[in-house]
């Protein structure tokens, strides 16, 4: 299975259009690579691809990665999409993909995410023909929806709930299926990838899934719980935005120290000091044996 990091930043990207924090300024000045909003593309054969979340930057991400570009006058190698939650930075790219032709996309999410997102006029067309917006079963393998569905025919996919809330536009409600993570492998079920870019805590279920994965992309949005406040960017804590911070006693880094898995932090907010390779935060992550995703990173499982 081929895994491509399309984007590695949280909502807003780096630089964010209205932000002149240290990280945004460094990216704007060309001192550090810019980052687009997070998402992965995975493929069993390099021909047909499954998107894991679809950010508003998907257009630029397709142009930056030839395997996602059309090979016929009108067409796409994108075979479907999975959504972890209903945040706009995770499915806003649907708006870019609306010139889809007659075939349509098979998109999948939890029932809760479909109910919230498909009620938004911008995303509603994706729950109607020629598209299909399917509910992922929780804690069970997804079945193929057709003979050319990437899911079930080329890739084995399982979703499970992680702690989290619905997006701000939905009132940040705590409800089952508001946020899920995905385990993805080739059909033999070996060497699975875990995709968990958003979670409010590492509970026992998520820990077990990370520990059993070959590679785990995990929520690296905020290094500390109060970094937005201390940098005078926003009066909100990571926890109130549905993210477990990386550092600290209960932080993800400490929690996963003994998981024995290749852990890659993604979905980094532009406030996060891990974006500076020279920072103490970056050093702590490296010393713990974890990695920080960047746009264009590729792995093979
Ligand atoms: Zn996000
Ligand atoms: Zn910034």
């Amino acid at each position: 299975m081929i895994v491509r990091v399309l984007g590695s930043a949280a909502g807003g990207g780096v630089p964010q259009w209205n932000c002149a924090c240290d990280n945004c300024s460094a990216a704007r000045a060309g001192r550090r690579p810019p980052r687009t909003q997070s998402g992965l593309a995975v493929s069993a054969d390099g021909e047909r691809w499954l998107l894991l979340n679809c950010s508003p930057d998907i257009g630029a991400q397709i142009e930056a990665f030839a395997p996602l570009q059309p090979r016929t006058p009108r067409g796409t190698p994108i075979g479907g999409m999975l959504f972890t939650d209903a945040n706009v930075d995770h499915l806003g790219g649907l708006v870019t993909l609306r010139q889809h032709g007659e075939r349509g996309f098979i998109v999948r999410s939890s029932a809760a995410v479909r109910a919230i997102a498909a009620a938004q006029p911008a995303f509603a067309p994706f729950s109607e023909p020629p598209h299909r917006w399917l509910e992922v079963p929780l804690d069970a393998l997804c079945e193929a929806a057709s003979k050319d569905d990437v899911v079930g025919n080329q890739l084995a996919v399982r979703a499970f709930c992680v702690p989290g809330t619905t997006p701000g536009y939905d009132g940040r409600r705590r409800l089952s299926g508001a946020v899920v993570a995905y385990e993805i492998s080739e059909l033999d079920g070996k060497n699975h990838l875990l995709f968990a870019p958003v979670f409010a805590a590492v509970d026992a279920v998520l820990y077990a899934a990370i520990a059993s994965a070959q590679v785990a992309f995990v929520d690296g949005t905020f290094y500390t719980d109060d970094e937005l406040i201390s940098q005078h960017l926003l009066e909100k804590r990571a926890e109130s935005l549905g993210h477990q911070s990386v550092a600290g006693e209960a932080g993800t880094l400490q929690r996963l120290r003994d998981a024995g898995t290749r852990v890659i932090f993604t979905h980094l907010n532009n406030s996060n000091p891990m974006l500076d390779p020279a920072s103490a935060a970056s050093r702590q992550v490296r010393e713990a044996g974890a990695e920080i995703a960047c746009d264009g990173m590729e792995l093979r499982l």
Side-chain angles (χ1 to χ4, degrees), residues 228-230 232-237 240:
L228 288 172
I229 298 168
S230 66
H232 309 289
L233 299 172
L234 192 67
E235 283 299 312
K236 290 211 161 137
R237 293 189 168 273
S240 75

Side-chain angles (χ1 to χ4, degrees), residues 10-11 87 89-90 198 267:
N87 274 290
D89 61 309
H90 301 169
V198 180
H267 193 269

Side-chain angles (χ1 to χ4, degrees), residues 13-16 18-25 28 231 233 269-271:
V14 189
Q16 179 174 310
N18 63 345
C19 189
C21 73
D22 290 349
N23 287 324
C24 289
S25 300
R28 201 169 273 128
Q231 294 178 51
L233 299 172
N269 195 57
N270 49 63
S271 55

